[in-house]
């Protein structure tokens, strides 16, 4: 849904600017870089955050499956509850961190 949103479709229309001029497509399309734009469009920010979360879940499911490191734990809360000695830090943008749940560790 994020890839097919009007915001991203408008950005694709500026692919030529990226290829021929080395410009940032979001700046060409929206007058600001992607993460600046997200601060001005709450709905797109939510959509983008959901897309990033879902892709992260898909990747982590494969990492967990491959490594067998965390058994079948699929979320940070399950991992930290099963392995409380693991400490984690969420490096992200302030708007994402403001909505992120807190977990022990």
């Amino acid at each position: 849904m994020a890839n097919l949103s009007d915001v991203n479709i408008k950005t694709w229309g500026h692919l030529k600017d990226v290829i021929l001029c080395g410009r940032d497509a979001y700046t060409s399309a929206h007058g600001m870089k992607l993460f600046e734009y997200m601060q001005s469009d709450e709905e797109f920010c939510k959509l983008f955050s959901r897309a990033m979360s879902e892709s992260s879940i898909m990747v982590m499911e494969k990492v967990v499956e491959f490594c067998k490191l965390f058994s079948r734990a699929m979320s940070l809360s399950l991992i930290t509850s099963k392995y409380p000695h693991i400490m984690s830090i969420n490096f992200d943008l302030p708007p994402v961190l403001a909505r992120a749940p807190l977990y022990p560790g």
Side-chain angles (χ1 to χ4, degrees), residues 8 14-16 20 24 40 49-50 58 85 87-88:
N8 274 354
H14 293 269
L15 182 60
K16 177 182 78 169
L20 297 177
D24 170 56
S40 71
S49 295
R50 183 174 160 206
M58 288 187 291
H85 63 283
M87 302 299 288
S88 65

Side-chain angles (χ1 to χ4, degrees), residues 4 11-13 15 19 28 36-38 43 58 60-61 67 70 76-78 87-88 94 99:
L4 297 176
T11 304
W12 276 105
L15 182 60
I19 295 170
S28 294
E36 294 168 341
Y37 179 83
M38 286 184 6
E43 288 306 310
M58 288 187 291
M60 284 308 298
E61 284 177 347
C67 295
F70 298 120
L76 183 57
S77 63
L78 290 173
M87 302 299 288
S88 65
R99 293 187 308 273

Side-chain angles (χ1 to χ4, degrees), residues 6-76:
D6 290 341
V7 173
N8 274 354
I9 296 296
K10 184 177 179 183
T11 304
W12 276 105
H14 293 269
L15 182 60
K16 177 182 78 169
D17 297 335
V18 174
I19 295 170
L20 297 177
C21 306
R23 292 190 199 129
D24 170 56
Y26 266 87
T27 302
S28 294
H30 305 287
M32 59 189 85
K33 294 189 178 289
L34 169 62
F35 293 109
E36 294 168 341
Y37 179 83
M38 286 184 6
Q39 291 178 355
S40 71
D41 185 338
E42 188 175 338
E43 288 306 310
F44 180 71
C45 183
K46 288 177 186 175
L47 186 63
F48 183 87
S49 295
R50 183 174 160 206
M52 293 298 99
S53 175
E54 288 174 358
S55 64
S56 295
I57 289 169
M58 288 187 291
V59 169
M60 284 308 298
E61 284 177 347
K62 290 300 177 188
V63 168
V64 169
E65 179 184 320
F66 178 76
C67 295
K68 304 287 186 216
L69 181 62
F70 298 120
S71 180
R72 296 297 301 164
M74 292 300 152
S75 73
L76 183 57

Side-chain angles (χ1 to χ4, degrees), residues 73-83 101-104:
M74 292 300 152
S75 73
L76 183 57
S77 63
L78 290 173
I79 293 169
T80 57
S81 68
K82 186 167 176 122
Y83 303 96
L102 295 176
Y103 299 108

